[in-house]
């Protein structure tokens, strides 16, 4: 399968998948100001009360497409294709039956927003790759979304890191549709754009194929604090 179809536009549509008209109407400007107001409150608020407010978690919902089809637990499929012994297909139940790995890490978008200490769990990409037979000469993975447009890539070494997850849970619950559910990627050590949402296919390849934003100049190796000329001390 190829996701090479021409994208509608290279704009990030902010809030289109969020809380309906409110997110769309207010846009990033007011959302940003709201966070400026909330940040000091949250920092000094042990009650967690501010988590009742919209967007108090700090995430933005990003999608490069105006809408994304819904996949239910029953009809979800993850395909593993390319340089593998035999193409494989995983249902959500099958992914849940595999070893589950949990980690709590920050999530940071290259545009500057950051959410601290997000709990994630799912199957490490390493475990999934171990479950299929990888052919000699394979070097990388190309990752595709059922939004039909977004792609990402990792070298096999990066893909096998213990902090790269096929995430089934996020923030203590199944990954929501808005966050890329039922299954998304979570690449902990890299900027958010590597964490592809609405995961549909992992193709094992002989070379890195730069992803959606990387074709527009973002670093393919998107290490937080060491790439894109930003956040020099984000890891400290
Ligand atoms: N399919 C898809 N995945 C995506 C994106 C997207 O637009 N489409 N945006 C990326 C970017 S830039 C970020 S910061 C995160 C945002 O994740 P969130 O929408 O769950 O906050 O998703 C990443 N994965
Ligand atoms: Mo991002």
């Amino acid at each position: 399968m190829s996701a090479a179809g021409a994208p509608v536009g290279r704009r990030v549509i902010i809030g289109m998948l969020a809380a309906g008209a409110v997110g769309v109407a207010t846009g990033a400007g007011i959302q940003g100001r709201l966070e400026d107001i909330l940040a000091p409150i949250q920092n000094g608020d042990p009650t967690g009360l501010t988590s009742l407010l919209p967007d108090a978690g700090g995430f933005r919902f990003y999608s490069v497409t105006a809408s994304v089809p819904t996949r239910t637990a029953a009809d979800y499929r993850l395909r593993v294709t390319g340089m593998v012994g035999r193409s494989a297909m995983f249902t959500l139940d099958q992914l849940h039956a595999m070893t589950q790995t949990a980690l709590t890490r920050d999530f940071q978008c290259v545009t500057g927003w950051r959410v601290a200490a997000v709990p994630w769990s799912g199957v490490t990409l390493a475990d999934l790759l171990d479950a299929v037979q990888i052919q000699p000469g394979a070097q990388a993975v190309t990752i595709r979304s059922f939004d039909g447009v977004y792609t990402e890539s990792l070298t096999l070494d990066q893909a096998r890191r213990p902090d790269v997850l096929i995430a089934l849970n996020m923030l203590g619950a199944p990954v929501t549709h808005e966050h890329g559910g039922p299954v998304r990627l979570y690449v902990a050590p890299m900027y958010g754009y590597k964490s592809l949402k609405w995961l549909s296919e992992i193709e094992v390849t002989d070379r890195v194929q730069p992803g959606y934003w990387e074709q527009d100049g973002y670093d393919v190796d998107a290490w937080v604090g060491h790439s894109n000329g930003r956040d020099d001390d984000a890891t400290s």
Side-chain angles (χ1 to χ4, degrees), residues 13-16 18 20-35 55 60:
I13 299 166
I14 299 169
M16 294 292 277
V22 177
V24 176
T26 59
I30 290 175
Q31 201 171 37
R33 293 213 306 271
L34 183 65
E35 283 181 350
D55 199 44
R60 318 287 198 282

Side-chain angles (χ1 to χ4, degrees), residues 12 59-65 68 107-111 113 120 145-147 150-151 170 178-180 184 191-198 212-213:
V12 175
F59 277 93
R60 318 287 198 282
F61 295 119
Y62 278 179
S63 178
V64 297
T65 60
V68 179
F107 189 87
Q108 172 134 8
C109 175
V110 73
T111 62
W113 56 272
W120 302 85
S145 168
F146 60 80
D147 70 8
Y150 204 88
T151 61
M170 171 184 175
E178 289 78 6
H179 278 306
R184 76 178 292 172
Y191 284 113
Y193 63 87
K194 300 300 286 193
S195 292
L196 174 143
K197 310 205 296 184
W198 306 294
Y212 182 88
W213 290 114

Side-chain angles (χ1 to χ4, degrees), residues 144-193:
R144 298 199 173 88
S145 168
F146 60 80
D147 70 8
V149 175
Y150 204 88
T151 61
E152 256 309 331
S153 67
L154 293 168
T155 67
L156 271 188
D157 282 348
Q158 293 165 356
R160 289 192 166 116
R161 289 177 57 106
D163 54 359
V164 175
L165 281 189
I166 295 166
L168 309 179
N169 291 282
M170 171 184 175
L171 297 164
V175 180
T176 63
H177 176 73
E178 289 78 6
H179 278 306
V183 180
R184 76 178 292 172
L185 197 68
Y186 175 54
V187 182
M190 296 195 185
Y191 284 113
Y193 63 87

Side-chain angles (χ1 to χ4, degrees), residues 97-158:
M98 295 175 71
T99 302
Q100 302 295 297
T101 298
L103 42 103
T104 298
R105 295 280 190 288
D106 295 358
F107 189 87
Q108 172 134 8
C109 175
V110 73
T111 62
W113 56 272
R114 182 180 189 187
V115 185
V118 180
W120 302 85
S121 68
V123 179
T124 64
L125 184 47
D127 283 348
L128 188 93
L129 292 172
D130 283 348
V132 298
Q133 203 191 328
I134 302 221
Q135 290 176 6
Q139 298 287 346
V141 289
T142 292
I143 302 150
R144 298 199 173 88
S145 168
F146 60 80
D147 70 8
V149 175
Y150 204 88
T151 61
E152 256 309 331
S153 67
L154 293 168
T155 67
L156 271 188
D157 282 348
Q158 293 165 356

